[in-house]
Amino acid sequence: TPQLAEEFDFYMVHLPLEAVRYPHPEPKTLTLNDTQDVINERIKNIKKWFPRDKFLNNHTGSTFTSDYNSMIKLYKALDRYNLIFVDSRTSAATVAPKVALKLHKKLLSRDIFIDNIADISYIQNQLKKAVTKAKQKGFAIAIGHPHSKTLQALSMSAPLFKNVKLVYLSTIYASI
């Protein structure tokens, strides 16, 4: 993945965090039991592998992002390596807004998750919702995965985006 990232002007690292229900966590998934040193080391390695990365979001993480102390530790590590957290909002109980406020950090959060069902019609409908949200709010953050159905739906959806401007997260971040 680090070699693939070199081909892109922009990318975001998807960090596995402990989840309520995820039976097969990935290796090195951060958990509530991890110390500040463990979290620092994980983020340091990510920055080493992806030196141009600026944004990091959570893959799973419903348990981790709902735990105040864990999120404080994560924010401290991210700050140390000049990374910005994007909350995928895998849980309604996320404390990321509270932690960001306490630490005086801007927070970007997912508005629409586009591909929790691998169906082109469903994904296109989610994209329509993202466009509607962007028109209401001024921007919308839609998160998906590079699954074949998602990529196919995106390639077919250019007409959906004719009245909005697609931008990188860095543009949104600079505007908030």
Side-chain angles (χ1 to χ4, degrees):
T1 307
Q3 291 169 333
L4 181 63
E6 290 175 11
E7 298 176 25
F8 295 93
D9 293 331
F10 180 89
Y11 56 87
M12 177 170 62
V13 172
H14 207 45
L15 177 69
L17 301 175
E18 184 177 354
V20 172
R21 286 181 294 280
Y22 198 68
H24 307 290
E26 296 172 44
K28 299 188 180 179
T29 294
L30 292 179
T31 70
L32 302 187
N33 296 324
D34 286 333
T35 64
Q36 185 69 61
D37 288 342
V38 168
I39 294 172
N40 287 348
E41 187 67 20
R42 180 79 168 113
I43 301 306
K44 177 177 124 183
N45 285 329
I46 287 170
K47 193 63 176 182
K48 183 174 88 181
W49 299 325
F50 300 95
R52 294 184 301 109
D53 187 31
K54 296 288 182 211
F55 296 92
L56 186 143
N57 75 318
N58 54 300
H59 169 62
T60 67
S62 51
T63 297
F64 195 98
T65 59
S66 299
D67 185 80
Y68 187 82
N69 291 329
S70 296
M71 288 300 292
I72 288 283
K73 289 188 271 188
L74 179 61
Y75 264 84
K76 285 181 178 178
L78 295 175
D79 198 39
R80 185 174 184 177
Y81 294 100
N82 202 26
L83 288 162
I84 299 160
F85 183 68
V86 178
D87 190 2
S88 295
R89 298 197 55 84
T90 57
S91 170
T94 179
V95 295
K98 184 190 280 188
V99 171
L101 184 64
K102 177 180 175 46
L103 299 176
H104 309 289
K105 300 291 182 185
K106 296 179 186 180
L107 176 66
L108 296 174
S109 296
R110 172 205 40 93
D111 293 296
I112 303 289
F113 193 76
I114 64 170
D115 61 357
N116 43 339
I117 297 174
D119 174 78
I120 291 172
S121 295
Y122 175 83
I123 295 166
Q124 287 185 311
N125 190 51
Q126 293 298 96
L127 292 170
K128 288 177 190 172
K129 288 180 184 178
V131 168
T132 299
K133 179 70 122 179
K135 288 179 179 179
Q136 294 168 346
K137 183 177 155 185
F139 68 88
I141 297 173
I143 294 180
H145 295 90
H147 300 310
S148 60
K149 295 283 185 192
T150 305
L151 297 173
Q152 192 176 355
L154 284 167
S155 70
M156 298 166 52
S157 298
L160 296 176
F161 305 123
K162 69 180 179 185
N163 293 318
V164 293
K165 182 179 179 184
L166 298 178
V167 298
Y168 291 125
L169 281 173
S170 53
T171 302
I172 296 171
Y173 187 77
S175 74
I176 61 170

